[in-house]
Amino acid sequence: MSSTTAPRRKALKALLAADEPLLLPGAYDALSAQLAERAGFSATYLGSFAAAASGFGLPDVGVLTLNDMVDQTRRIVEATSVPVLADAENGFYDAPNIWRTVQMFESTGVCGIHIEDNLGGKHTSAPAGLLSEDRMAQKIRAALDARTDPDFLVIARSDAAWVNHDTEECLRRLEHYIAAGADMVFAPALPAPVLAEARTRLAAPVMVAGDLLDVPGSDTPAHTIQEYGEAGADVILLWYTLLGAATKNVTDVLTALRTRPDVAGVKDAVTDQRDFEALMGYEQFEQRSSRYAVGRPPAQA
């Protein structure tokens, strides 16, 4: 465990204990995670939707491997100093082997992972299904047994409200996963009014997936941050916002260049190169370069 891992995991627990919900922007790579931290966000997140798109140009249909997610998570953790949560899909293995998933993610320095009961077909019209409650509960128990740091969070996610459009089944499943020991629960597509009604049933911190844009066909209901907060959400996850913003802006710039190929047409949409270099730490490199220049006498202690 690195010297920064334990403080970050404890910091996340403190954020979860605060009165206000934790707004968690979903990064898609190391740079976007750094930008979230520089913008003042206290934590960030990597989901498989963003990792598949940014790392491989692929849809989020279960194509990523454990190593794919772990490698991208490690890069984000190493590039930032804030707590990071990560998507561990369905755990990649059944309960007897899920120790490998937990230990690999733990080694990245990430503060926790969520494991879902979804069997596939996400974000598509393909038939989807859910793992049985009992098998999912066993995965949660096995994940808890596998962790070496008690501050590493194991979050149980149920997609029943999404796959089956059944909020009561979703809440029943979440209760089952809490009974299995889950530190937190996560419910995509759970409307804010349902969460507000059920908050007394869920004796654990709750993360919800927020979609701040009312997009036709969206996988998650559109609610404001205030609505989710008032409903009792402990974490509001903006899993798509940063990736969507980057895609739109880059597409707009490319379209403008094709229409009018000159810098003036896109200048206002592009970060100044010197400002970008300052973000990347070029100045620190120049200081090191000067310090270790050939022929330069060593600095006095």
Side-chain angles (χ1 to χ4, degrees):
M1 186 186 300
S2 74
S3 60
T4 64
T5 298
R8 278 203 252 195
R9 289 176 180 166
K10 293 186 182 300
L12 180 58
K13 286 196 167 182
L15 290 169
L16 293 174
D19 292 333
E20 296 296 318
L22 174 62
L23 187 61
L24 204 61
Y28 52 87
D29 62 6
L31 176 58
S32 59
Q34 286 182 334
L35 293 175
E37 180 177 2
R38 292 176 189 277
F41 286 91
S42 302
T44 190
Y45 165 83
L46 174 67
S48 61
F49 187 98
S54 64
F56 301 92
L58 292 172
D60 182 25
V61 290
V63 72
L64 297 186
T65 67
L66 172 59
N67 285 339
D68 292 335
M69 283 303 300
V70 166
D71 289 346
Q72 187 77 324
T73 298
R74 191 184 308 277
R75 284 189 282 269
I76 286 176
V77 171
E78 291 177 350
T80 59
S81 62
V82 296
V84 180
L85 287 177
D87 182 354
E89 298 275 59
N90 62 8
F92 297 97
Y93 304 102
D94 280 335
N97 289 328
I98 207 167
W99 60 267
R100 187 166 186 266
T101 298
V102 173
Q103 290 184 9
M104 287 184 69
F105 272 104
E106 263 196 305
S107 73
T108 69
V110 75
C111 294
I113 56 174
H114 62 74
I115 301 169
E116 67 196 44
D117 54 16
N118 197 315
L119 292 177
K122 293 184 296 184
H123 309 289
T124 74
S125 59
L130 297 177
L131 192 68
S132 74
E133 294 179 35
D134 289 338
R135 287 185 65 190
M136 178 63 179
Q138 292 291 53
K139 282 192 178 189
I140 297 303
R141 293 188 181 98
L144 293 166
D145 288 343
R147 66 182 176 186
T148 61
D149 180 0
D151 287 328
F152 178 85
L153 298 179
V154 174
I155 304 167
R157 165 177 163 169
S158 177
D159 283 1
W162 178 2
V163 173
N164 294 338
H165 308 289
D166 189 334
T167 56
E168 177 57 33
E169 179 190 1
C170 179
L171 295 175
R172 187 185 70 245
R173 282 175 170 267
L174 294 181
E175 288 181 302
H176 195 172
Y177 305 157
I178 291 170
D183 298 303
M184 290 180 60
V185 289
F186 177 21
L190 192 68
V194 175
L195 175 60
E197 293 172 7
R199 199 59 186 84
T200 55
R201 290 175 55 179
L202 302 176
V206 179
M207 179 162 67
V208 295
D211 188 346
L212 303 185
L213 303 176
D214 189 8
V215 180
S218 174
D219 294 321
T220 54
H223 293 297
T224 65
I225 293 171
Q226 182 178 353
E227 285 173 330
Y228 272 124
E230 291 175 350
D234 296 282
V235 179
I236 302 170
L237 175 61
L238 304 181
W239 57 274
Y240 174 68
T241 304
L242 299 192
L243 179 65
T247 301
K248 183 181 187 305
N249 196 60
V250 170
T251 299
D252 288 349
V253 167
L254 291 171
T255 300
L257 287 173
R258 289 282 294 173
T259 305
R260 182 185 174 189
D262 62 65
V263 175
V266 300
K267 185 176 181 180
D268 291 341
V270 178
T271 300
D272 181 85
Q273 181 181 337
R274 293 177 182 83
D275 292 340
F276 183 82
E277 290 173 351
L279 289 173
M280 292 294 96
Y282 282 86
E283 182 180 353
Q284 288 87 339
F285 167 78
E286 291 178 358
Q287 293 172 352
R288 293 194 302 271
S289 180
S290 175
R291 177 179 177 84
Y292 302 117
V294 175
R296 179 185 177 93
Q300 297 296 317

